[in-house]
Amino acid sequence: MQWRRFVSLPILAVLLLMIIVFYGTVFIFLDDWVGFQSSAGLTNVVIFSTLASFTLFSFLVSVFTDPGAVPSGYFPDIESSDGSDQESRESEALTKRCDKCSAYKPPRAHHCRVCRRCVLKMDHHCTWINNCVGQRNYKAFFLLVFYGTISSLYSTVIIVGCGVQKDWESFGTTRLKTFYITSAVMISLLSLTLGTLLGWHIYLLIHNMTTIEYYEGTRKVWLAKKSGQIYKHPYDVGAYRNVTMILGPHVLKWLWPSASSHVKDGTSFPTVRDSL
């Protein structure tokens, strides 16, 4: 059933882009610059192939990993303070009920109109992986952007370096110059796009925030400021702890996309109030 996710033009486009970038970088520009027979050439082939492999692996994990579904029969755990009665508890529970799914949803869960279900700790629905980014596959998605950015930057250096050292007076036809310039511009734009996306998700990661929560929080910040108060994201429990909740407690496993045994069930999360 999961293999049906690959029947998607955006996914095929991503795979095709990976193939084109890898082939062009290694077999055209790198070979033309230093060649495969030299130690420098072989070293660069190994490094770039490793980065490309991790990018592809992260992509596959992002596609095939379910982002997290709300457990069947879930009911929100509402703390009863000051002797509140059952009626007030039910009233609060209604605010955590999804009308489309006709079921209760945990904190940070949202309904995806594309997937037609509620997703645990939903960040967004990504067309390029034909899947939601949520509780169980956010780490893989983050590493996909991370490895993709490094790979594209590495490719940019190789393409630009090859172009700078090339003897254009002897071999520089107009068509070849156009090809080099176009390739350099395209890979630079890809690097800029992925780099910007990586910077955005590093910010979210450090603050333990999803994209949805960021945009919801902008209004809460405005309302708090208007009333003379300061709004703090309730799930921001400190940069290091925020990072370990996503990437894992073991630093050596941070860069491995499928190392997700630390991921919880996604129905409850530590908050700033818990640490007080």
Side-chain angles (χ1 to χ4, degrees):
M1 186 69 176
Q2 289 182 328
W3 285 98
R4 295 180 59 184
R5 291 179 182 172
F6 253 89
V7 186
S8 166
L9 287 178
I11 284 185
L12 296 177
V14 171
L15 292 174
L16 180 61
L17 177 62
M18 288 184 182
I19 294 172
I20 292 174
V21 172
F22 180 81
Y23 181 87
T25 302
V26 174
F27 295 102
I28 297 178
F29 297 103
L30 187 58
D31 187 30
D32 184 38
W33 186 9
V34 293
F36 295 155
Q37 304 302 322
S38 65
S39 58
L42 183 59
T43 301
N44 279 280
V45 168
V46 172
I47 294 175
F48 187 73
S49 297
T50 301
L51 290 173
S53 298
F54 272 105
T55 303
L56 178 60
F57 182 41
S58 301
F59 177 72
L60 295 176
V61 175
S62 299
V63 171
F64 289 118
T65 301
D66 189 281
V70 177
S72 178
Y74 170 81
F75 188 84
D77 181 18
I78 305 172
E79 296 181 358
S80 180
S81 59
D82 301 327
S84 59
D85 56 18
Q86 184 65 23
E87 183 178 350
S88 63
R89 286 168 57 85
E90 293 178 355
S91 176
E92 185 175 353
L94 287 175
T95 63
K96 300 180 180 180
R97 185 177 178 85
C98 177
D99 295 331
K100 297 181 180 63
C101 295
S102 298
Y104 294 101
K105 58 184 179 180
R108 314 184 79 178
H110 294 274
H111 186 88
C112 176
R113 291 177 294 179
V114 180
C115 297
R116 298 180 181 179
R117 62 166 179 162
C118 285
V119 176
L120 296 174
K121 196 188 173 187
M122 179 178 173
D123 186 90
H124 69 289
H125 183 90
C126 181
T127 302
W128 302 108
I129 64 172
N130 196 24
N131 196 9
C132 268
V133 177
Q135 171 74 0
R136 303 191 189 283
N137 68 343
Y138 182 79
K139 177 182 178 179
F141 176 80
F142 177 83
L143 291 178
L144 166 63
V145 179
F146 174 76
Y147 285 121
T149 300
I150 296 179
S151 298
S152 59
L153 286 173
Y154 202 100
S155 177
T156 301
V157 172
I158 291 176
I159 293 175
V160 173
C162 181
V164 169
Q165 63 82 40
K166 195 170 185 61
D167 184 4
W168 292 106
E169 294 183 0
S170 303
F171 304 99
T173 64
T174 302
R175 181 174 298 181
L176 186 61
K177 289 180 180 178
T178 302
F179 172 72
Y180 267 74
I181 293 174
T182 302
S183 298
V185 170
M186 295 299 291
I187 197 64
S188 297
L189 290 175
L190 179 62
S191 300
L192 179 61
T193 301
L194 291 176
T196 302
L197 185 60
L198 177 62
W200 167 247
H201 279 281
I202 288 176
Y203 172 84
L204 295 178
L205 180 70
I206 291 175
H207 293 84
N208 195 9
M209 190 182 299
T210 66
T211 300
I212 294 175
E213 289 169 347
Y214 172 82
Y215 288 108
E216 289 179 343
T218 54
R219 174 171 173 78
K220 294 177 181 178
V221 170
W222 178 78
L223 291 174
K225 187 176 182 180
K226 188 177 181 181
S227 59
Q229 299 177 337
I230 298 177
Y231 172 77
K232 180 175 176 60
H233 182 56
Y235 301 106
D236 185 357
V237 292
Y240 180 76
R241 191 179 177 191
N242 292 339
V243 170
T244 56
M245 282 194 291
I246 301 298
L247 301 182
H250 304 293
V251 178
L252 295 178
K253 295 183 178 180
W254 279 9
L255 300 181
W256 190 253
S258 60
S260 57
S261 59
H262 63 281
V263 177
K264 306 300 182 182
D265 61 4
T267 59
S268 62
F269 301 89
T271 63
V272 176
R273 183 181 300 178
D274 298 333
S275 58
L276 296 178

Short mmCIF file of all heavy atoms in Angstrom, two decimals, residues 3-56:
data_model
loop_
_atom_site.label_atom_id
_atom_site.label_comp_id
_atom_site.label_asym_id
_atom_site.label_seq_id
_atom_site.Cartn_x
_atom_site.Cartn_y
_atom_site.Cartn_z
N TRP A 3 3.77 1.63 -1.26
CA TRP A 3 4.45 1.83 -2.53
C TRP A 3 3.63 2.70 -3.48
O TRP A 3 4.17 3.29 -4.41
CB TRP A 3 4.76 0.49 -3.19
CG TRP A 3 5.90 -0.21 -2.53
CD1 TRP A 3 5.84 -1.20 -1.59
CD2 TRP A 3 7.29 0.06 -2.73
NE1 TRP A 3 7.11 -1.57 -1.19
CE2 TRP A 3 8.02 -0.82 -1.89
CE3 TRP A 3 8.00 0.95 -3.55
CZ2 TRP A 3 9.41 -0.83 -1.84
CZ3 TRP A 3 9.39 0.93 -3.49
CH2 TRP A 3 10.07 0.05 -2.65
N ARG A 4 2.32 2.80 -3.23
CA ARG A 4 1.47 3.64 -4.08
C ARG A 4 1.84 5.12 -3.96
O ARG A 4 1.52 5.91 -4.84
CB ARG A 4 0.00 3.43 -3.71
CG ARG A 4 -0.51 2.01 -4.00
CD ARG A 4 -1.97 1.85 -3.63
NE ARG A 4 -2.81 2.78 -4.36
CZ ARG A 4 -4.13 2.89 -4.17
NH1 ARG A 4 -4.73 2.13 -3.26
NH2 ARG A 4 -4.83 3.75 -4.86
N ARG A 5 2.50 5.47 -2.83
CA ARG A 5 2.92 6.86 -2.66
C ARG A 5 3.92 7.27 -3.73
O ARG A 5 4.08 8.45 -4.02
CB ARG A 5 3.54 7.05 -1.27
CG ARG A 5 2.54 6.93 -0.14
CD ARG A 5 3.23 7.11 1.21
NE ARG A 5 2.29 6.94 2.30
CZ ARG A 5 2.63 6.88 3.59
NH1 ARG A 5 3.90 6.97 3.92
NH2 ARG A 5 1.73 6.72 4.52
N PHE A 6 4.64 6.28 -4.29
CA PHE A 6 5.62 6.61 -5.32
C PHE A 6 4.97 6.96 -6.64
O PHE A 6 5.61 7.52 -7.53
CB PHE A 6 6.59 5.43 -5.51
CG PHE A 6 7.94 5.70 -4.94
CD1 PHE A 6 8.23 5.40 -3.63
CD2 PHE A 6 8.92 6.29 -5.71
CE1 PHE A 6 9.48 5.67 -3.10
CE2 PHE A 6 10.18 6.55 -5.19
CZ PHE A 6 10.46 6.24 -3.88
N VAL A 7 3.68 6.62 -6.80
CA VAL A 7 2.97 6.95 -8.03
C VAL A 7 2.54 8.41 -7.93
O VAL A 7 1.38 8.75 -7.74
CB VAL A 7 1.75 6.04 -8.23
CG1 VAL A 7 1.11 6.30 -9.59
CG2 VAL A 7 2.15 4.58 -8.11
N SER A 8 3.52 9.27 -8.02
CA SER A 8 3.31 10.71 -7.86
C SER A 8 4.32 11.46 -8.70
O SER A 8 5.53 11.18 -8.63
CB SER A 8 3.45 11.09 -6.38
OG SER A 8 3.57 12.49 -6.22
N LEU A 9 3.86 12.40 -9.49
CA LEU A 9 4.77 13.18 -10.34
C LEU A 9 5.81 13.96 -9.54
O LEU A 9 6.98 13.99 -9.92
CB LEU A 9 3.95 14.12 -11.24
CG LEU A 9 3.19 13.46 -12.40
CD1 LEU A 9 2.40 14.50 -13.17
CD2 LEU A 9 4.16 12.73 -13.33
N PRO A 10 5.43 14.60 -8.42
CA PRO A 10 6.44 15.31 -7.63
C PRO A 10 7.55 14.39 -7.13
O PRO A 10 8.73 14.76 -7.14
CB PRO A 10 5.64 15.90 -6.46
CG PRO A 10 4.27 16.07 -7.01
CD PRO A 10 4.06 14.89 -7.92
N ILE A 11 7.20 13.18 -6.68
CA ILE A 11 8.22 12.25 -6.20
C ILE A 11 9.14 11.81 -7.33
O ILE A 11 10.37 11.76 -7.18
CB ILE A 11 7.56 11.02 -5.53
CG1 ILE A 11 7.04 11.40 -4.15
CG2 ILE A 11 8.55 9.86 -5.42
CD1 ILE A 11 6.48 10.25 -3.36
N LEU A 12 8.55 11.50 -8.47
CA LEU A 12 9.36 11.13 -9.62
C LEU A 12 10.25 12.29 -10.06
O LEU A 12 11.39 12.08 -10.49
CB LEU A 12 8.46 10.68 -10.77
CG LEU A 12 7.63 9.41 -10.52
CD1 LEU A 12 6.72 9.12 -11.72
CD2 LEU A 12 8.55 8.22 -10.25
N ALA A 13 9.73 13.51 -9.93
CA ALA A 13 10.52 14.70 -10.29
C ALA A 13 11.72 14.86 -9.35
O ALA A 13 12.82 15.20 -9.78
CB ALA A 13 9.64 15.95 -10.23
N VAL A 14 11.51 14.60 -8.05
CA VAL A 14 12.60 14.68 -7.08
C VAL A 14 13.67 13.64 -7.38
O VAL A 14 14.88 13.93 -7.37
CB VAL A 14 12.07 14.51 -5.64
CG1 VAL A 14 13.23 14.39 -4.65
CG2 VAL A 14 11.19 15.68 -5.25
N LEU A 15 13.24 12.41 -7.66
CA LEU A 15 14.19 11.34 -7.98
C LEU A 15 14.97 11.66 -9.26
O LEU A 15 16.18 11.43 -9.33
CB LEU A 15 13.45 10.02 -8.14
CG LEU A 15 12.84 9.43 -6.86
CD1 LEU A 15 12.02 8.20 -7.20
CD2 LEU A 15 13.92 9.09 -5.85
N LEU A 16 14.27 12.20 -10.25
CA LEU A 16 14.93 12.58 -11.49
C LEU A 16 15.94 13.69 -11.25
O LEU A 16 17.05 13.67 -11.81
CB LEU A 16 13.90 13.01 -12.53
CG LEU A 16 14.44 13.44 -13.90
CD1 LEU A 16 15.17 12.28 -14.56
CD2 LEU A 16 13.29 13.94 -14.79
N LEU A 17 15.58 14.65 -10.41
CA LEU A 17 16.49 15.75 -10.08
C LEU A 17 17.74 15.22 -9.39
O LEU A 17 18.86 15.65 -9.69
CB LEU A 17 15.79 16.77 -9.19
CG LEU A 17 16.64 17.95 -8.70
CD1 LEU A 17 17.13 18.78 -9.89
CD2 LEU A 17 15.85 18.82 -7.72
N MET A 18 17.56 14.27 -8.47
CA MET A 18 18.71 13.68 -7.78
C MET A 18 19.64 12.99 -8.77
O MET A 18 20.87 13.12 -8.68
CB MET A 18 18.23 12.66 -6.74
CG MET A 18 17.57 13.26 -5.52
SD MET A 18 17.15 11.96 -4.32
CE MET A 18 16.34 12.93 -3.05
N ILE A 19 19.06 12.25 -9.72
CA ILE A 19 19.87 11.54 -10.71
C ILE A 19 20.65 12.52 -11.58
O ILE A 19 21.85 12.34 -11.84
CB ILE A 19 18.98 10.64 -11.58
CG1 ILE A 19 18.37 9.51 -10.74
CG2 ILE A 19 19.76 10.06 -12.75
CD1 ILE A 19 17.33 8.68 -11.46
N ILE A 20 19.97 13.58 -12.02
CA ILE A 20 20.61 14.56 -12.89
C ILE A 20 21.76 15.27 -12.17
O ILE A 20 22.86 15.43 -12.72
CB ILE A 20 19.57 15.60 -13.39
CG1 ILE A 20 18.57 14.94 -14.34
CG2 ILE A 20 20.26 16.77 -14.08
CD1 ILE A 20 17.44 15.84 -14.77
N VAL A 21 21.50 15.70 -10.93
CA VAL A 21 22.54 16.41 -10.17
C VAL A 21 23.73 15.49 -9.91
O VAL A 21 24.90 15.90 -10.06
CB VAL A 21 21.97 16.94 -8.83
CG1 VAL A 21 23.09 17.49 -7.95
CG2 VAL A 21 20.93 18.02 -9.10
N PHE A 22 23.45 14.24 -9.52
CA PHE A 22 24.54 13.31 -9.22
C PHE A 22 25.35 13.00 -10.48
O PHE A 22 26.58 13.06 -10.46
CB PHE A 22 23.99 12.00 -8.64
CG PHE A 22 25.06 11.01 -8.30
CD1 PHE A 22 25.78 11.10 -7.13
CD2 PHE A 22 25.36 9.97 -9.18
CE1 PHE A 22 26.77 10.19 -6.81
CE2 PHE A 22 26.36 9.04 -8.88
CZ PHE A 22 27.07 9.15 -7.69
N TYR A 23 24.66 12.68 -11.57
CA TYR A 23 25.37 12.34 -12.81
C TYR A 23 26.17 13.52 -13.32
O TYR A 23 27.35 13.37 -13.69
CB TYR A 23 24.37 11.89 -13.87
CG TYR A 23 25.03 11.48 -15.17
CD1 TYR A 23 25.49 10.18 -15.36
CD2 TYR A 23 25.21 12.40 -16.21
CE1 TYR A 23 26.11 9.80 -16.55
CE2 TYR A 23 25.83 12.04 -17.39
CZ TYR A 23 26.28 10.74 -17.56
OH TYR A 23 26.89 10.38 -18.73
N GLY A 24 25.57 14.68 -13.34
CA GLY A 24 26.27 15.86 -13.85
C GLY A 24 27.47 16.23 -13.01
O GLY A 24 28.55 16.54 -13.53
N THR A 25 27.29 16.20 -11.69
CA THR A 25 28.37 16.58 -10.78
C THR A 25 29.56 15.63 -10.89
O THR A 25 30.72 16.07 -10.97
CB THR A 25 27.86 16.60 -9.32
OG1 THR A 25 26.77 17.52 -9.21
CG2 THR A 25 28.98 17.01 -8.37
N VAL A 26 29.27 14.31 -10.89
CA VAL A 26 30.35 13.32 -10.87
C VAL A 26 30.93 13.04 -12.25
O VAL A 26 32.15 13.13 -12.46
CB VAL A 26 29.84 12.00 -10.23
CG1 VAL A 26 30.90 10.91 -10.34
CG2 VAL A 26 29.45 12.23 -8.78
N PHE A 27 30.06 12.71 -13.20
CA PHE A 27 30.54 12.21 -14.48
C PHE A 27 30.81 13.30 -15.53
O PHE A 27 31.40 13.01 -16.57
CB PHE A 27 29.53 11.20 -15.04
CG PHE A 27 29.41 9.96 -14.20
CD1 PHE A 27 28.33 9.81 -13.35
CD2 PHE A 27 30.38 8.98 -14.23
CE1 PHE A 27 28.20 8.67 -12.56
CE2 PHE A 27 30.27 7.84 -13.45
CZ PHE A 27 29.18 7.69 -12.61
N ILE A 28 30.39 14.51 -15.25
CA ILE A 28 30.67 15.60 -16.20
C ILE A 28 31.67 16.59 -15.61
O ILE A 28 32.79 16.74 -16.09
CB ILE A 28 29.38 16.32 -16.62
CG1 ILE A 28 28.43 15.36 -17.36
CG2 ILE A 28 29.70 17.53 -17.51
CD1 ILE A 28 27.11 15.98 -17.77
N PHE A 29 31.28 17.26 -14.53
CA PHE A 29 32.10 18.35 -14.00
C PHE A 29 33.30 17.85 -13.20
O PHE A 29 34.42 18.33 -13.40
CB PHE A 29 31.23 19.27 -13.15
CG PHE A 29 30.15 19.94 -13.92
CD1 PHE A 29 28.83 19.50 -13.82
CD2 PHE A 29 30.43 21.00 -14.78
CE1 PHE A 29 27.82 20.12 -14.54
CE2 PHE A 29 29.44 21.62 -15.52
CZ PHE A 29 28.12 21.17 -15.39
N LEU A 30 33.08 16.91 -12.29
CA LEU A 30 34.20 16.42 -11.48
C LEU A 30 35.22 15.67 -12.34
O LEU A 30 36.44 15.84 -12.18
CB LEU A 30 33.68 15.50 -10.37
CG LEU A 30 34.71 15.04 -9.33
CD1 LEU A 30 35.37 16.24 -8.65
CD2 LEU A 30 34.06 14.13 -8.30
N ASP A 31 34.74 14.88 -13.27
CA ASP A 31 35.64 14.14 -14.16
C ASP A 31 36.43 15.10 -15.04
O ASP A 31 37.61 14.89 -15.31
CB ASP A 31 34.82 13.18 -15.03
CG ASP A 31 35.71 12.27 -15.86
OD1 ASP A 31 36.83 11.97 -15.42
OD2 ASP A 31 35.28 11.86 -16.96
N ASP A 32 35.79 16.16 -15.49
CA ASP A 32 36.45 17.15 -16.33
C ASP A 32 37.47 17.97 -15.54
O ASP A 32 38.48 18.41 -16.07
CB ASP A 32 35.41 18.07 -16.96
CG ASP A 32 36.03 19.06 -17.93
OD1 ASP A 32 36.97 18.67 -18.66
OD2 ASP A 32 35.58 20.22 -17.97
N TRP A 33 37.21 18.16 -14.24
CA TRP A 33 38.06 19.01 -13.41
C TRP A 33 39.33 18.28 -12.96
O TRP A 33 40.44 18.69 -13.27
CB TRP A 33 37.27 19.50 -12.21
CG TRP A 33 38.01 20.50 -11.35
CD1 TRP A 33 39.20 21.10 -11.63
CD2 TRP A 33 37.57 21.00 -10.09
NE1 TRP A 33 39.55 21.96 -10.62
CE2 TRP A 33 38.57 21.93 -9.65
CE3 TRP A 33 36.47 20.78 -9.29
CZ2 TRP A 33 38.47 22.61 -8.45
CZ3 TRP A 33 36.37 21.48 -8.09
CH2 TRP A 33 37.35 22.38 -7.67
N VAL A 34 39.16 17.18 -12.20
CA VAL A 34 40.33 16.49 -11.64
C VAL A 34 40.46 15.04 -12.12
O VAL A 34 41.51 14.42 -11.94
CB VAL A 34 40.29 16.51 -10.10
CG1 VAL A 34 40.48 17.92 -9.58
CG2 VAL A 34 38.98 15.92 -9.58
N GLY A 35 39.39 14.49 -12.73
CA GLY A 35 39.44 13.12 -13.21
C GLY A 35 39.26 12.10 -12.09
O GLY A 35 39.49 12.40 -10.92
N PHE A 36 38.86 10.90 -12.46
CA PHE A 36 38.62 9.84 -11.47
C PHE A 36 39.91 9.12 -11.06
O PHE A 36 39.93 8.43 -10.04
CB PHE A 36 37.63 8.82 -12.02
CG PHE A 36 36.26 9.38 -12.25
CD1 PHE A 36 35.40 8.81 -13.19
CD2 PHE A 36 35.80 10.47 -11.53
CE1 PHE A 36 34.14 9.32 -13.39
CE2 PHE A 36 34.54 10.99 -11.73
CZ PHE A 36 33.70 10.42 -12.66
N GLN A 37 40.96 9.27 -11.85
CA GLN A 37 42.19 8.52 -11.57
C GLN A 37 43.02 9.16 -10.46
O GLN A 37 43.83 8.49 -9.82
CB GLN A 37 43.04 8.41 -12.85
CG GLN A 37 42.30 7.80 -14.03
CD GLN A 37 41.79 6.40 -13.72
OE1 GLN A 37 42.46 5.63 -13.04
NE2 GLN A 37 40.60 6.07 -14.21
N SER A 38 42.81 10.45 -10.22
CA SER A 38 43.59 11.15 -9.20
C SER A 38 43.00 10.88 -7.82
O SER A 38 41.83 10.54 -7.67
CB SER A 38 43.60 12.65 -9.48
OG SER A 38 42.29 13.18 -9.36
N SER A 39 43.83 11.06 -6.80
CA SER A 39 43.36 10.86 -5.42
C SER A 39 42.30 11.90 -5.05
O SER A 39 41.34 11.60 -4.34
CB SER A 39 44.54 10.94 -4.44
OG SER A 39 45.20 12.20 -4.55
N ALA A 40 42.48 13.13 -5.55
CA ALA A 40 41.50 14.19 -5.29
C ALA A 40 40.16 13.84 -5.92
O ALA A 40 39.10 14.06 -5.31
CB ALA A 40 42.02 15.52 -5.83
N GLY A 41 40.20 13.32 -7.14
CA GLY A 41 38.97 12.95 -7.82
C GLY A 41 38.24 11.83 -7.11
O GLY A 41 37.02 11.89 -6.90
N LEU A 42 38.99 10.80 -6.72
CA LEU A 42 38.40 9.65 -6.04
C LEU A 42 37.82 10.06 -4.68
O LEU A 42 36.73 9.63 -4.30
CB LEU A 42 39.44 8.56 -5.84
CG LEU A 42 38.95 7.25 -5.20
CD1 LEU A 42 37.83 6.64 -6.04
CD2 LEU A 42 40.10 6.27 -5.03
N THR A 43 38.54 10.92 -3.97
CA THR A 43 38.07 11.39 -2.67
C THR A 43 36.76 12.15 -2.80
O THR A 43 35.82 11.95 -2.02
CB THR A 43 39.12 12.29 -2.00
OG1 THR A 43 40.33 11.55 -1.83
CG2 THR A 43 38.64 12.80 -0.65
N ASN A 44 36.69 13.04 -3.79
CA ASN A 44 35.47 13.81 -4.00
C ASN A 44 34.31 12.94 -4.45
O ASN A 44 33.15 13.20 -4.07
CB ASN A 44 35.72 14.91 -5.04
CG ASN A 44 36.40 16.13 -4.44
OD1 ASN A 44 35.77 16.96 -3.81
ND2 ASN A 44 37.71 16.21 -4.65
N VAL A 45 34.58 11.91 -5.22
CA VAL A 45 33.53 10.99 -5.64
C VAL A 45 32.94 10.27 -4.43
O VAL A 45 31.71 10.14 -4.30
CB VAL A 45 34.06 9.95 -6.66
CG1 VAL A 45 33.05 8.83 -6.87
CG2 VAL A 45 34.36 10.63 -7.99
N VAL A 46 33.81 9.80 -3.54
CA VAL A 46 33.36 9.09 -2.34
C VAL A 46 32.54 10.01 -1.44
O VAL A 46 31.46 9.63 -0.96
CB VAL A 46 34.56 8.51 -1.57
CG1 VAL A 46 34.11 7.95 -0.22
CG2 VAL A 46 35.25 7.44 -2.39
N ILE A 47 33.02 11.23 -1.23
CA ILE A 47 32.32 12.17 -0.35
C ILE A 47 30.96 12.53 -0.92
O ILE A 47 29.93 12.47 -0.22
CB ILE A 47 33.16 13.44 -0.13
CG1 ILE A 47 34.44 13.12 0.65
CG2 ILE A 47 32.35 14.51 0.61
CD1 ILE A 47 35.38 14.30 0.81
N PHE A 48 30.93 12.90 -2.21
CA PHE A 48 29.66 13.32 -2.80
C PHE A 48 28.69 12.15 -2.91
O PHE A 48 27.48 12.32 -2.72
CB PHE A 48 29.90 13.94 -4.18
CG PHE A 48 28.66 14.55 -4.76
CD1 PHE A 48 28.15 15.74 -4.27
CD2 PHE A 48 27.99 13.92 -5.80
CE1 PHE A 48 26.99 16.29 -4.81
CE2 PHE A 48 26.83 14.46 -6.34
CZ PHE A 48 26.34 15.66 -5.84
N SER A 49 29.19 10.96 -3.22
CA SER A 49 28.32 9.78 -3.30
C SER A 49 27.71 9.46 -1.94
O SER A 49 26.54 9.05 -1.85
CB SER A 49 29.11 8.57 -3.82
OG SER A 49 29.58 8.80 -5.13
N THR A 50 28.49 9.64 -0.88
CA THR A 50 27.99 9.40 0.47
C THR A 50 26.88 10.39 0.82
O THR A 50 25.82 10.01 1.34
CB THR A 50 29.12 9.52 1.50
OG1 THR A 50 30.15 8.57 1.19
CG2 THR A 50 28.60 9.27 2.91
N LEU A 51 27.10 11.67 0.50
CA LEU A 51 26.09 12.69 0.76
C LEU A 51 24.82 12.41 -0.05
O LEU A 51 23.69 12.53 0.47
CB LEU A 51 26.64 14.07 0.41
CG LEU A 51 27.73 14.63 1.33
CD1 LEU A 51 28.30 15.92 0.75
CD2 LEU A 51 27.17 14.87 2.73
N ALA A 52 25.00 12.04 -1.32
CA ALA A 52 23.85 11.74 -2.17
C ALA A 52 23.08 10.53 -1.66
O ALA A 52 21.84 10.49 -1.70
CB ALA A 52 24.31 11.51 -3.61
N SER A 53 23.80 9.54 -1.16
CA SER A 53 23.16 8.33 -0.63
C SER A 53 22.33 8.64 0.60
O SER A 53 21.19 8.15 0.75
CB SER A 53 24.21 7.27 -0.29
OG SER A 53 24.92 6.88 -1.46
N PHE A 54 22.87 9.47 1.49
CA PHE A 54 22.12 9.85 2.69
C PHE A 54 20.91 10.70 2.32
O PHE A 54 19.87 10.63 2.99
CB PHE A 54 23.03 10.59 3.67
CG PHE A 54 23.77 9.68 4.61
CD1 PHE A 54 25.12 9.43 4.43
CD2 PHE A 54 23.11 9.08 5.66
CE1 PHE A 54 25.80 8.58 5.29
CE2 PHE A 54 23.78 8.23 6.53
CZ PHE A 54 25.13 7.98 6.35
N THR A 55 21.05 11.53 1.30
CA THR A 55 19.91 12.33 0.85
C THR A 55 18.79 11.43 0.33
O THR A 55 17.61 11.61 0.68
CB THR A 55 20.34 13.30 -0.27
OG1 THR A 55 21.40 14.14 0.20
CG2 THR A 55 19.17 14.19 -0.71
N LEU A 56 19.16 10.46 -0.48
CA LEU A 56 18.18 9.52 -1.02
C LEU A 56 17.55 8.68 0.10
O LEU A 56 16.33 8.47 0.12
CB LEU A 56 18.84 8.60 -2.05
CG LEU A 56 17.94 7.51 -2.66
CD1 LEU A 56 16.76 8.13 -3.39
CD2 LEU A 56 18.75 6.64 -3.61
#
